[in-house]
Amino acid sequence: MSSAKNPALERLAGTLGHPRLSPLRFGPVLLRSNGPGVFELLHVEDASTDPTRLAVVEVDALAVLATNDRQGRFRPNKASPDLVAGWICRPRDPESLGEALESLLPGGLSDWYAALDPALGVVSYREFADRQTGMYRNIASLSDPEACEVARACCDVRFCLRRRLWPVGEIGVDAAASKSDAPCLEPCALLLELARRAHRMSQEERSTLHLGETDLASIAVALDTAIAHPPSDLREGDLSNPAHPRRLLLLREKLLPWLPAPVRGKGE
Ligand code: SF4
């Protein structure tokens, strides 16, 4: 990858060299410049850690480092916060910087560069849903409020650090400060699968429950606890698991209108 032929890389290197614009966060990765042409990549959690306490990792080792989470489970979404921490990588030039980023967050650089264009064309939930076929075609049947519940559950900052720029229903897009500078330009495969399941659940026979505020508060707290402590063998891509944190958060989103005020906010 040559910076001379790659305007995205040139722009990134220039941005990192600018004291007011640097550092940047691409998902769980912090990018900063440590002098002209000197770049550093590390986990955002290590931003304040003395660099001498971090393990130095070469660019060609980053793809393996990003493959599994801290429990050794495969990371289908490279923007999830569960990237292993405790390392630092110092690409020697802009080309190596591009390679490093591509290993840690594939497509992150090109999406970031594309999103600098005010005329950027993002793919809304409706456009995305309307072009689905086969087992996913029914996600177009979700109402706007249902699609918003799916987006809030799937793209929550606890699960994904790309900032959602694609519109859905009435909810606004994510601010960079709340997640990172890496944009999300259209729904991903995880969102597609959660939307499919949400549609299937919406077709199930309904039950009627009568619960008071105290019971509802207990349910919200139980959900928050389960979301924060998923089973150790749960895989992020396995949305068939009823204990999947995104499914639990989707249930919480559905309960939101009935939750008492003290537990209405997400238990982050
Ligand atoms: S659709 Fe949501 S979960 Fe998927 S990459 Fe985009 S922001 Fe992340």
Side-chain angles (χ1 to χ4, degrees):
M1 191 183 293
S2 164
S3 61
K5 296 177 190 156
N6 187 335
L9 201 44
E10 268 186 4
R11 181 71 177 259
L12 178 68
T15 301
L16 292 176
H18 199 295
R20 275 196 296 115
L21 303 177
S22 180
L24 292 176
R25 290 178 302 149
F26 273 35
V29 180
L30 186 84
L31 291 83
R32 65 189 180 199
S33 173
N34 197 6
V38 182
F39 307 107
E40 291 183 338
L41 293 88
L42 58 161
H43 198 295
V44 289
E45 290 176 11
D46 293 322
S48 307
T49 305
D50 177 353
T52 62
R53 299 175 67 88
L54 301 173
V56 176
V57 175
E58 297 301 327
V59 170
D60 58 8
L62 290 176
V64 172
L65 183 138
T67 300
N68 295 324
D69 68 12
R70 297 165 198 204
Q71 271 82 44
R73 297 167 299 199
F74 178 66
R75 298 172 67 236
N77 176 14
K78 299 295 184 263
S80 68
D82 59 5
L83 175 67
V84 172
W87 54 271
I88 189 163
C89 178
R90 297 190 176 93
R92 289 178 183 81
D93 47 46
E95 291 74 27
S96 313
L97 172 64
E99 286 166 28
L101 258 186
E102 196 57 24
S103 297
L104 292 167
L105 189 67
L109 175 58
S110 52
D111 287 349
W112 171 80
Y113 186 66
L116 296 176
D117 183 346
L120 170 75
V122 294
V123 179
S124 71
Y125 178 82
R126 284 289 152 226
E127 291 170 81
F128 177 79
D130 287 345
R131 73 187 188 203
Q132 300 304 317
T133 57
M135 64 191 281
Y136 292 109
R137 69 184 185 286
N138 285 334
I139 72 163
S141 307
L142 290 181
S143 66
D144 276 357
E146 288 170 331
C148 288
E149 288 170 355
V150 169
R152 281 197 295 261
C154 192
C155 308
D156 188 88
V157 68
R158 285 168 285 183
F159 310 137
C160 181
L161 293 171
R162 275 188 188 259
R163 56 184 294 233
R164 180 182 52 76
L165 295 186
W166 47 268
V168 51
E170 298 296 314
I171 56 174
V173 300
D174 292 330
S178 69
K179 291 183 122 186
S180 83
D181 299 287
C184 173
L185 307 181
E186 69 173 88
C188 70
L190 283 168
L191 189 130
L192 176 63
E193 177 58 17
L194 189 62
R196 183 181 78 85
R197 289 186 177 277
H199 174 264
R200 218 169 63 182
M201 287 188 271
S202 73
Q203 304 302 300
E204 291 172 352
E205 198 174 324
R206 307 277 103 177
S207 302
T208 305
L209 274 176
H210 297 280
L211 295 174
E213 283 203 344
T214 308
D215 283 335
L216 285 164
S218 294
I219 290 173
V221 171
L223 286 171
D224 291 339
T225 304
I227 290 167
H229 305 285
S232 59
D233 59 349
L234 187 139
R235 290 179 295 111
E236 187 182 9
D238 183 12
L239 283 158
S240 68
N241 191 327
H244 196 293
R246 280 177 165 96
R247 280 185 56 174
L248 299 180
L249 188 50
L250 180 61
L251 171 57
R252 199 189 196 286
E253 290 294 332
K254 292 178 190 170
L255 293 174
L256 204 55
W258 295 278
L259 294 183
V263 294
R264 198 165 291 155
K266 294 174 189 173
E268 293 164 47

